[in-house]
Amino acid sequence: MITTSASSMILTASAEPAGGVAGWAADVMGTIGAPGAGLTNLVDTVLPFVPSEVILPIAGFAAGQGRFSLPAVIIWTTLGSIVGSWIVYAAGALLGRDRTRALAARVPFVSPHEIDRAEAWFERHGRTAVLLARMVPVVRSLISVPAGIQRMSLTAFTAMTALGSLVWNTAFVVLGYWLGDNWQLVEEYGGWVSKAVVAVAVLAVARWFLVRLRRRPSARHRG
């Protein structure tokens, strides 16, 4: 077990002392050890604005300093991902299909037919979607919502979440472990990836609305 005073030592060998999310993650890991890496990753899974690209390299760096073992970090962070995904899955299950359809019906340009198509797509590709989404920033947290709404098999959901999270977590933890004092490089480039994913999502939504705006006059003309 690492004491609180030792938490500040986790990042003392790095170029700069950590603050914000990085400092919080270091404090949690410094207080309760490897399970702290799992706890911080659980929070990341529930709240997509807490970046695992920051948390995981710190855990790997601490393991490289001998604070705790590398396998323990990978196991605990993956468990954190699974438990966090269960929480978001439960939120989606509580929301349910009926409430989702009612909310979606209030969104401009969204038709019941499109909702049906989205549900049918997830029923066909849900397992693959959950697996791949675990390795995509931001989306890795949000994918649990439609899985819960669709009441996807919890066994299949957990298996795909565990596999995808294991790959993602291992990659970032090992990078932090190998880079040592330069672990911030993972945060820097991982942050660019996250921003790129968000930008693509915004462009996709904007294109979707533009297409429907163009269709509305033609639909009125035909009417």
Side-chain angles (χ1 to χ4, degrees):
M1 181 75 68
I2 304 174
T3 63
T4 304
S5 61
S7 64
S8 60
M9 296 175 60
I10 288 181
L11 297 174
T12 52
S14 59
E16 297 179 2
V21 173
W24 164 74
D27 286 340
V28 173
M29 294 179 209
T31 301
I32 60 177
L39 178 59
T40 54
N41 211 43
L42 182 155
V43 174
D44 155 64
T45 304
V46 175
L47 305 175
F49 55 82
V50 178
S52 61
E53 302 93 307
V54 175
I55 293 171
L56 296 172
I58 291 174
F61 174 71
Q65 288 195 321
R67 305 292 177 182
F68 24 77
S69 72
L70 186 61
V73 171
I74 293 173
I75 291 171
W76 277 108
T77 53
T78 301
L79 286 174
S81 297
I82 293 171
V83 175
S85 72
W86 285 344
I87 295 173
V88 183
Y89 176 98
L94 288 173
L95 183 61
R97 287 184 176 181
D98 293 340
R99 289 195 184 115
T100 302
R101 292 178 71 87
L103 290 172
R106 299 179 183 178
V107 178
F109 315 123
V110 175
S111 68
H113 175 66
E114 289 171 325
I115 299 172
D116 293 337
R117 287 177 57 188
E119 289 182 350
W121 182 91
F122 197 86
E123 286 178 358
R124 293 194 305 269
H125 307 289
R127 295 188 181 190
T128 302
V130 170
L131 173 65
L132 297 179
R134 294 301 169 194
M135 295 173 276
V136 180
V138 181
V139 181
R140 61 191 301 271
S141 298
L142 301 178
I143 191 63
S144 299
V145 176
I149 292 171
Q150 293 286 323
R151 298 296 178 94
M152 178 181 178
S153 164
L154 188 57
T155 300
F157 174 78
T158 301
M160 295 300 100
T161 295
L163 181 57
S165 299
L166 179 63
V167 173
W168 175 267
N169 295 347
T170 300
F172 277 85
V173 168
V174 170
L175 281 173
Y177 183 87
W178 282 343
L179 287 172
D181 293 352
N182 296 315
W183 64 269
Q184 297 99 326
L185 292 174
V186 186
E187 175 187 355
E188 179 181 351
Y189 291 107
W192 280 108
V193 172
S194 297
K195 292 175 183 177
V197 170
V198 172
V200 169
V202 170
L203 289 174
V205 171
R207 180 181 180 277
W208 183 82
F209 273 106
L210 286 173
V211 169
R212 276 147 187 80
L213 281 172
R214 291 173 181 173
R215 287 178 180 174
R216 290 189 73 189
S218 60
R220 286 197 298 265
H221 180 73
R222 287 195 301 271

Short mmCIF file of all heavy atoms in Angstrom, two decimals, residues 100-101 103-116 208-209 212:
data_model
loop_
_atom_site.label_atom_id
_atom_site.label_comp_id
_atom_site.label_asym_id
_atom_site.label_seq_id
_atom_site.Cartn_x
_atom_site.Cartn_y
_atom_site.Cartn_z
N THR A 100 -36.74 6.36 -24.62
CA THR A 100 -35.80 6.79 -25.66
C THR A 100 -36.55 7.26 -26.90
O THR A 100 -36.24 8.30 -27.49
CB THR A 100 -34.84 5.66 -26.03
OG1 THR A 100 -34.14 5.23 -24.87
CG2 THR A 100 -33.84 6.13 -27.08
N ARG A 101 -37.55 6.48 -27.32
CA ARG A 101 -38.33 6.85 -28.50
C ARG A 101 -39.10 8.15 -28.25
O ARG A 101 -39.21 9.00 -29.13
CB ARG A 101 -39.29 5.73 -28.86
CG ARG A 101 -38.60 4.46 -29.36
CD ARG A 101 -39.62 3.37 -29.64
NE ARG A 101 -40.40 3.71 -30.82
CZ ARG A 101 -40.05 3.42 -32.07
NH1 ARG A 101 -38.91 2.78 -32.29
NH2 ARG A 101 -40.81 3.76 -33.08
N LEU A 103 -38.22 10.60 -26.23
CA LEU A 103 -37.26 11.71 -26.26
C LEU A 103 -36.80 11.99 -27.68
O LEU A 103 -36.70 13.15 -28.09
CB LEU A 103 -36.06 11.37 -25.37
CG LEU A 103 -36.32 11.35 -23.86
CD1 LEU A 103 -35.10 10.80 -23.13
CD2 LEU A 103 -36.66 12.74 -23.36
N ALA A 104 -36.51 10.93 -28.44
CA ALA A 104 -36.04 11.10 -29.81
C ALA A 104 -37.10 11.75 -30.69
O ALA A 104 -36.78 12.50 -31.62
CB ALA A 104 -35.63 9.75 -30.39
N ALA A 105 -38.37 11.47 -30.39
CA ALA A 105 -39.46 12.04 -31.19
C ALA A 105 -39.52 13.56 -31.07
O ALA A 105 -40.07 14.24 -31.94
CB ALA A 105 -40.78 11.42 -30.77
N ARG A 106 -38.94 14.09 -29.98
CA ARG A 106 -38.95 15.54 -29.78
C ARG A 106 -37.77 16.22 -30.47
O ARG A 106 -37.72 17.45 -30.52
CB ARG A 106 -38.89 15.85 -28.28
CG ARG A 106 -40.09 15.30 -27.51
CD ARG A 106 -39.95 15.61 -26.03
NE ARG A 106 -41.05 15.04 -25.25
CZ ARG A 106 -41.16 15.13 -23.94
NH1 ARG A 106 -40.22 15.77 -23.25
NH2 ARG A 106 -42.19 14.58 -23.31
N VAL A 107 -36.82 15.42 -30.96
CA VAL A 107 -35.65 15.99 -31.63
C VAL A 107 -36.03 16.33 -33.07
O VAL A 107 -36.58 15.49 -33.79
CB VAL A 107 -34.47 14.99 -31.62
CG1 VAL A 107 -33.28 15.58 -32.36
CG2 VAL A 107 -34.10 14.64 -30.19
N PRO A 108 -35.76 17.56 -33.51
CA PRO A 108 -36.11 17.95 -34.89
C PRO A 108 -35.45 17.03 -35.93
O PRO A 108 -34.30 16.62 -35.77
CB PRO A 108 -35.56 19.37 -35.00
CG PRO A 108 -35.48 19.86 -33.60
CD PRO A 108 -35.17 18.66 -32.76
N PHE A 109 -36.21 16.70 -36.96
CA PHE A 109 -35.73 15.93 -38.11
C PHE A 109 -35.52 14.45 -37.82
O PHE A 109 -35.01 13.73 -38.67
CB PHE A 109 -34.43 16.51 -38.69
CG PHE A 109 -34.45 18.00 -38.84
CD1 PHE A 109 -33.49 18.78 -38.24
CD2 PHE A 109 -35.44 18.61 -39.58
CE1 PHE A 109 -33.51 20.17 -38.37
CE2 PHE A 109 -35.48 19.99 -39.72
CZ PHE A 109 -34.50 20.78 -39.11
N VAL A 110 -35.85 13.98 -36.63
CA VAL A 110 -35.71 12.56 -36.31
C VAL A 110 -37.07 11.90 -36.46
O VAL A 110 -38.04 12.31 -35.82
CB VAL A 110 -35.18 12.35 -34.88
CG1 VAL A 110 -35.15 10.86 -34.54
CG2 VAL A 110 -33.79 12.95 -34.74
N SER A 111 -37.14 10.87 -37.30
CA SER A 111 -38.39 10.18 -37.54
C SER A 111 -38.39 8.83 -36.83
O SER A 111 -37.32 8.26 -36.56
CB SER A 111 -38.60 9.95 -39.04
OG SER A 111 -37.64 9.03 -39.54
N PRO A 112 -39.58 8.28 -36.53
CA PRO A 112 -39.65 6.95 -35.91
C PRO A 112 -38.96 5.89 -36.76
O PRO A 112 -38.38 4.95 -36.21
CB PRO A 112 -41.16 6.69 -35.82
CG PRO A 112 -41.76 8.05 -35.75
CD PRO A 112 -40.90 8.91 -36.64
N HIS A 113 -39.00 6.05 -38.06
CA HIS A 113 -38.35 5.09 -38.96
C HIS A 113 -36.84 5.05 -38.71
O HIS A 113 -36.23 3.98 -38.70
CB HIS A 113 -38.64 5.46 -40.41
CG HIS A 113 -37.92 4.60 -41.41
ND1 HIS A 113 -38.19 3.24 -41.55
CD2 HIS A 113 -36.92 4.88 -42.29
CE1 HIS A 113 -37.40 2.74 -42.49
NE2 HIS A 113 -36.63 3.71 -42.95
N GLU A 114 -36.25 6.21 -38.49
CA GLU A 114 -34.80 6.27 -38.24
C GLU A 114 -34.46 5.63 -36.90
O GLU A 114 -33.40 5.00 -36.76
CB GLU A 114 -34.32 7.72 -38.30
CG GLU A 114 -34.34 8.29 -39.71
CD GLU A 114 -34.08 9.78 -39.72
OE1 GLU A 114 -34.53 10.46 -38.77
OE2 GLU A 114 -33.44 10.26 -40.66
N ILE A 115 -35.32 5.80 -35.93
CA ILE A 115 -35.10 5.16 -34.63
C ILE A 115 -35.15 3.65 -34.79
O ILE A 115 -34.33 2.92 -34.23
CB ILE A 115 -36.16 5.64 -33.62
CG1 ILE A 115 -36.05 7.16 -33.42
CG2 ILE A 115 -35.98 4.93 -32.28
CD1 ILE A 115 -37.16 7.74 -32.58
N ASP A 116 -36.13 3.17 -35.56
CA ASP A 116 -36.25 1.73 -35.81
C ASP A 116 -35.00 1.19 -36.50
O ASP A 116 -34.51 0.11 -36.18
CB ASP A 116 -37.48 1.44 -36.67
CG ASP A 116 -38.77 1.73 -35.92
OD1 ASP A 116 -38.74 1.73 -34.68
OD2 ASP A 116 -39.80 1.96 -36.58
N TRP A 208 -25.62 15.41 -41.02
CA TRP A 208 -26.92 14.76 -40.88
C TRP A 208 -28.04 15.79 -40.87
O TRP A 208 -29.05 15.64 -41.55
CB TRP A 208 -26.92 13.94 -39.59
CG TRP A 208 -28.16 13.16 -39.33
CD1 TRP A 208 -28.49 11.94 -39.84
CD2 TRP A 208 -29.25 13.53 -38.47
NE1 TRP A 208 -29.72 11.53 -39.35
CE2 TRP A 208 -30.19 12.48 -38.52
CE3 TRP A 208 -29.50 14.64 -37.67
CZ2 TRP A 208 -31.38 12.53 -37.79
CZ3 TRP A 208 -30.68 14.69 -36.95
CH2 TRP A 208 -31.60 13.64 -37.02
N PHE A 209 -27.84 16.90 -40.13
CA PHE A 209 -28.86 17.94 -40.08
C PHE A 209 -28.99 18.67 -41.42
O PHE A 209 -30.09 19.00 -41.85
CB PHE A 209 -28.52 18.95 -38.97
CG PHE A 209 -29.04 18.56 -37.62
CD1 PHE A 209 -28.19 18.08 -36.64
CD2 PHE A 209 -30.40 18.67 -37.33
CE1 PHE A 209 -28.66 17.72 -35.40
CE2 PHE A 209 -30.88 18.29 -36.07
CZ PHE A 209 -30.02 17.82 -35.11
N ARG A 212 -31.07 16.70 -43.88
CA ARG A 212 -32.51 16.76 -43.58
C ARG A 212 -33.11 18.13 -43.84
O ARG A 212 -34.26 18.26 -44.23
CB ARG A 212 -32.76 16.32 -42.13
CG ARG A 212 -32.84 14.81 -42.06
CD ARG A 212 -32.31 14.22 -40.78
NE ARG A 212 -32.28 12.76 -40.90
CZ ARG A 212 -31.32 12.10 -41.56
NH1 ARG A 212 -30.34 12.74 -42.15
NH2 ARG A 212 -31.37 10.77 -41.64
#
